[in-house]
Amino acid sequence: MGDGSSVDDGSGSDPVRNPDLEAAFADGPAFVPYLAAGDPDYESSLEYVEALERGGADVIELGLPFSEPIAEGPTIQGAVVRALEGGMTPDRFFEFVEDLDVDVPLVCMTYYNLIYQYGSEQGPRPFVERAAEVGLSGFVVPDLPAEEADPLREACDEFGLDLVFIVAPTTRGDRLERIMSQVSGYVYVQARLGVTGAQEDVSGQTEESLDRLADYDVPKAVGFGIKTGEHAERIVAGGADGIIVGSALVDIVAEGAEAGESAETVAGRLEEKARELKQGALRGYEQRVPQAEGK
Amino acid sequence: MTQQYADGKFGEYGGQYVPEALMPAIEELTDAYERYVLENEDGFMDEFRDRLRDFGGRPTPTQHAERLSERYGREVYLKREDLLHGGAHKLNNALGQVLLAKYMGKERIVAETGAGQHGTATAMAAAHLDMPCEIYMGERDINRQRPNVFRMRLNGSAVNPVTTGRGTLKEAISETMRDWATNVEDTHYVIGSVVGPHPFPAMVRDFQAVISEEARRQLREKTGGLPDSVLACAGGGSNTMGAFAHFVDDAEPRSADEASGGEPRDDESVDLYAVEAGGSTLEVDEEAGVAPNSASLSTGEEGVLHGARTKLLQDSDGQIMESHSVSAGLDYAGVGPELARLVDDGRVHAVNVDDDGALEAFHRLSQLEGIIPALETAHAFGYLEEHHEDLGEVVLVNVSGRGDKDLETVIEETEKRDIEAAPSMAEFSGGI
């Protein structure tokens, strides 16, 4: 997957593609971890994100905390509260990105009000411009459906950033077409209905969602509920081009914060978990490749 | 009533800012709204009105308030939504939405509530129409609205405490959206005000518009004309939009008509006042992320929250502020997008009354008219007290709900203040 070609939906102009995100999906399954920037504090969070890269991250989704995260379950809500209490703001977030010592592409995950309010004028352009300056590669905005996304899409096109959309198990027909004509970078395949949160088992809805997306030539990264290497293996074996993992990692941060553990200890655990998830994804990919070759 | 905004947006306000998982449900609801509510398919609106009459007790009266009229030297009329079944205007919307959910084939209802009035109305409507129902309510609001919590449970609804944030309406809405996103295929979310993604603001307004439809007719019967002013308290804005809807087109000033040689129609122009909760002060503590008021129309900035672009209490980064009001039902950081637009257009005056003014008005109305108003409603009477001289000869106040639910809060808050003629409970032990 990820041959760099654009989606041809017959709708005219294609979305701009960021070469960094394309590349991340080019060689085997991509592991896309999420952490809230600044959780539980600025310095520790820098270490945690860097640990994810050491553990095998191909793209990192960095959460910019919003006070009303309606798409998130209790785990990520907790991260948002800790990060906000730790003083995270949009400007601090951009500093955070600049301070990070990682080579993998970074995607900003946040809610639209923060993007809309940033800078001296209302509208998404100042935020996107600043994001491009600090080297972010794209955005995921859970409360911005394709119908309302034109202003952000235009700003992303202007500054060469990707706009990742979420496809839910309920997304079908015209809506699916509309989203897939706008998406760039990768499509975030929501594995099950509901909000974010690690699960004991992966959802049976995932396979059906991947089938619906099979004809679209854009990387498909599955998120919501992935907790273990075994989950990752099954998701990738089932056809995903990548896995997105948030709550299972945030849980480690939360436990560390609660127990008063050192940042180094928590970072080590995050790196280990990242490695487990990445290795699971690779095993799943190995199961898939012979099938693909046999076709 | 004029269908002013067919596309679900009110100028730049409104829209559909929700997670993708909810968008198909929003599309399904929009389709159902257009067919059943706007076009009366399968006789939906006929059944709704029948049930409002027989179950709800409509029409509610528009009463001439004799002692208030005498006090203020003008004719004051009260639209008595407190006499609607359940004690508040909320039943109009709850019954409409639960019935619509049945027409749509949904099997489960979820709702949020602040003061508990919407939760109570939804629980009653769900029991009446035999639908399972779960209500989300902030923990803090549960503590200050215990009678309503009990009423919801009496009607067979589950009440789920929300402990995130400050435990008020804002958090309850977020939590209900999460439930809806999880169970969207068989569940309808009965939003309690003219907020949220399209079609909720327009649909809730249409269900509540019966208030002004009746008031307009009843006032004409009693006075031969229209009121000079309509006052309604505004949190999210559902009773406000219900009270204003059939007067919005009675715009003032009619300068365009006069300029073009038409007859001046000042006698038919109606001023509309949305009375917000001024809380303890309109000053904002941005560092603490707290607005000690709920005056989003008066002091808020445009932004996106809970599915719509509207006026919000937010800091300069766009983080939503904690709001405050002595009245749980007004304690919300946002407001309906249509109201935001009407205020920008100059059609609606956004004004506010602080906690003290509302509490004084609560006692005053109780003593002068024998009507114990909801604390929400008391804000409108607080404005009447201070500004009656500017409101014309005939004033209509929407009594959005009754105050039984607020008595514990009022006893507690009254003891902190020196309110003339307020009864004291100090000599009694054990509360009420």
Side-chain angles (χ1 to χ4, degrees):
Chain A
M1 185 59 241
D3 61 3
S5 62
S6 298
V7 179
D8 183 11
D9 67 334
S11 66
S13 62
D14 289 323
V16 171
R17 291 287 183 87
N18 185 309
D20 298 339
L21 285 184
E22 288 289 340
F25 283 83
D27 303 316
F31 168 47
V32 186
Y34 163 97
L35 283 180
D39 173 26
D41 61 76
Y42 189 95
E43 294 299 331
S44 304
S45 188
L46 283 172
E47 283 193 47
Y48 297 167
V49 175
E50 288 164 8
L52 294 177
E53 186 189 36
R54 290 195 299 276
D58 299 290
V59 175
I60 295 172
E61 287 185 359
L62 269 185
L64 165 55
F66 177 51
S67 54
E68 314 301 320
I70 58 171
E72 317 296 353
T75 301
I76 292 178
Q77 284 182 58
V80 166
V81 170
R82 288 189 297 272
L84 287 173
E85 285 176 351
M88 184 50 67
T89 66
D91 279 325
R92 285 288 277 167
F93 177 82
F94 290 128
E95 285 170 34
F96 185 91
V97 173
E98 286 180 316
D99 287 346
L100 272 176
D101 183 16
V102 295
D103 291 327
V104 297
L106 300 169
V107 170
C108 169
M109 183 159 188
T110 194
Y111 286 76
Y112 191 54
N113 200 46
L114 298 189
I115 295 175
Y116 183 76
Q117 298 297 339
Y118 188 78
S120 54
E121 57 183 284
Q122 286 188 319
R125 193 178 180 280
F127 190 94
V128 178
E129 183 175 17
R130 183 79 182 112
E133 278 171 15
V134 300
L136 284 160
S137 297
F139 299 101
V140 184
V141 190
D143 65 341
L144 191 71
E147 286 79 356
E148 306 285 358
D150 281 353
L152 181 58
R153 168 84 271 162
E154 285 162 18
C156 284
D157 286 352
E158 180 182 348
F159 293 102
L161 271 69
D162 281 323
L163 186 50
V164 173
F165 283 96
I166 296 172
V167 167
T170 45
T171 310
R172 292 184 170 80
D174 290 347
R175 284 206 54 73
L176 187 63
E177 290 289 330
R178 196 178 306 143
I179 291 169
M180 297 310 287
S181 70
Q182 290 199 43
V183 73
S184 64
Y186 55 94
V187 59
Y188 188 137
V189 183
Q190 186 177 328
R192 56 173 168 75
L193 285 175
V195 293
T196 55
Q199 302 284 305
E200 290 312 311
D201 202 359
V202 292
S203 166
Q205 291 173 316
T206 312
E207 203 171 316
E208 198 190 321
S209 296
L210 287 170
D211 282 349
R212 271 204 309 283
L213 294 168
D215 292 339
Y216 295 96
D217 186 18
V218 62
K220 296 150 194 86
V222 174
F224 275 49
I226 299 171
K227 185 179 178 183
T228 66
E230 194 256 332
H231 291 170
E233 180 180 342
R234 281 163 57 192
I235 294 277
V236 173
D241 302 304
I243 52 160
I244 303 170
V245 183
S247 295
L249 300 164
V250 172
D251 276 337
I252 294 171
V253 176
E255 285 158 16
E258 202 166 310
E261 290 176 326
S262 72
E264 192 182 356
T265 304
V266 176
R269 207 169 291 141
L270 282 167
E271 183 179 338
E272 191 183 328
K273 187 71 181 175
R275 192 163 289 122
E276 174 197 332
L277 290 158
K278 174 72 179 180
Q279 293 303 317
L282 286 169
R283 284 197 306 276
Y285 191 67
E286 283 164 12
Q287 292 167 30
R288 212 170 79 195
V289 171
Q291 287 176 1
E293 284 173 349
K295 280 184 182 173
Chain B
M1 186 182 56
T2 308
Q3 184 65 33
Q4 290 184 310
Y5 309 103
D7 63 353
K9 295 206 173 177
F10 309 97
E12 66 272 38
Y13 298 111
Q16 298 174 317
Y17 296 85
V18 295
E20 173 55 30
L22 292 176
M23 282 305 292
I26 294 284
E27 288 186 333
E28 182 188 0
L29 183 63
T30 304
D31 178 61
Y33 164 60
E34 289 170 356
R35 289 196 289 127
Y36 294 123
V37 180
L38 298 184
E39 294 168 22
N40 193 27
E41 189 173 306
D42 296 340
F44 171 84
M45 286 302 285
D46 300 329
E47 181 175 350
F48 171 54
R49 286 175 181 272
D50 285 349
R51 288 183 184 274
L52 268 185
R53 185 188 64 226
D54 294 345
F55 177 67
R58 298 214 75 93
T60 61
T62 293
Q63 176 206 342
H64 183 239
E66 291 166 18
R67 293 186 68 193
L68 288 184
S69 298
E70 191 178 322
R71 180 180 179 90
Y72 299 129
R74 64 210 64 240
E75 301 308 317
V76 178
Y77 287 86
L78 310 178
K79 181 58 176 165
R80 296 291 307 276
E81 290 302 291
D82 59 317
L83 295 180
L84 189 65
H85 178 44
H89 72 290
K90 293 289 188 182
L91 184 70
N92 301 321
N93 169 50
L95 189 63
Q97 286 201 49
V98 176
L99 186 63
L100 187 65
K102 275 206 101 92
Y103 272 61
M104 292 168 69
K106 298 291 179 183
E107 295 169 3
R108 176 175 175 265
I109 293 295
V110 292
E112 90 298 322
T113 195
Q117 289 293 57
H118 172 59
T120 301
T122 305
M124 290 188 314
H128 173 63
L129 292 164
D130 191 22
M131 288 276 266
C133 178
E134 286 188 48
I135 312 279
Y136 290 87
M137 188 168 184
E139 203 167 46
R140 176 182 155 88
D141 286 342
I142 285 178
N143 290 332
R144 51 180 177 171
Q145 301 290 342
R146 283 161 37 89
N148 269 338
V149 175
F150 191 63
R151 288 207 292 173
M152 286 178 248
R153 296 179 76 167
L154 273 176
N155 285 130
S157 287
V159 179
N160 302 324
V162 177
T163 56
T164 51
R166 238 176 96 246
T168 59
L169 180 59
K170 173 166 71 74
E171 291 80 17
I173 291 178
S174 294
E175 206 56 43
T176 316
M177 284 199 161
R178 292 183 183 108
D179 182 311
W180 194 28
T182 307
N183 303 292
V184 65
E185 289 172 310
D186 68 353
T187 297
H188 175 68
Y189 174 12
V190 179
I191 286 187
S193 192
V194 287
V195 301
H198 177 70
F200 283 104
M203 182 173 70
V204 177
R205 173 204 64 203
D206 290 352
F207 287 141
Q208 293 291 0
V210 64
I211 299 171
S212 48
E213 183 186 330
E214 286 177 5
R216 190 182 174 93
R217 186 180 69 240
Q218 290 163 329
L219 260 180
R220 275 206 190 281
E221 286 166 7
K222 285 176 186 280
T223 70
L226 297 181
D228 294 303
S229 300
V230 180
L231 273 62
C233 61
S238 72
N239 95 84
T240 329
M241 282 311 306
F244 292 174
H246 286 267
F247 296 110
V248 164
D249 291 339
D250 301 305
E252 64 82 39
R254 299 302 180 95
S255 54
D257 290 348
E258 292 171 34
S260 64
E263 287 293 310
R265 291 185 291 166
D266 286 343
D267 59 323
E268 290 285 273
S269 71
V270 181
D271 281 350
L272 306 174
Y273 290 85
V275 187
E276 298 192 285
S280 54
T281 171
L282 290 185
E283 297 298 314
V284 165
D285 184 348
E286 176 145 340
E287 199 164 315
V290 174
N293 60 70
S294 304
S296 41
L297 281 172
S298 308
T299 66
E301 296 284 336
E302 187 183 330
V304 174
L305 177 66
H306 292 148
R309 184 178 296 193
T310 187
K311 286 183 186 286
L312 304 172
L313 299 175
Q314 57 185 322
D315 67 17
S316 56
D317 288 330
Q319 304 289 2
I320 307 305
M321 288 198 172
E322 301 296 347
S323 57
H324 163 79
S325 169
V326 69
S327 164
L330 300 182
D331 195 349
Y332 180 55
V335 67
E338 184 172 10
L339 262 178
R341 173 60 189 253
L342 289 169
V343 168
D344 278 4
D345 286 349
R347 181 65 193 97
V348 168
H349 305 283
V351 297
N352 60 81
V353 164
D354 64 15
D355 289 346
D356 292 348
L359 277 160
E360 286 167 12
F362 180 94
H363 288 288
R364 190 181 309 116
L365 189 70
S366 300
Q367 292 182 7
L368 287 182
E369 294 289 348
I371 296 170
I372 299 173
L375 270 174
E376 293 89 332
T377 310
H379 286 74
F381 286 99
Y383 191 78
L384 178 66
E385 171 79 5
E386 293 298 319
H387 299 277
H388 55 86
E389 288 178 358
D390 305 325
L391 300 176
E393 292 306 307
V394 179
V395 181
L396 174 69
V397 184
N398 191 35
V399 185
S400 58
R402 69 180 189 220
D404 309 41
K405 69 187 173 63
D406 293 317
L407 293 182
E408 285 188 34
T409 302
V410 170
I411 290 169
E412 190 181 318
E413 294 292 330
T414 299
E415 283 173 356
K416 298 177 190 167
R417 294 165 169 85
D418 181 21
I419 297 177
E420 193 182 343
S424 168
M425 294 295 289
E427 70 269 38
F428 302 111
S429 59
I432 54 171

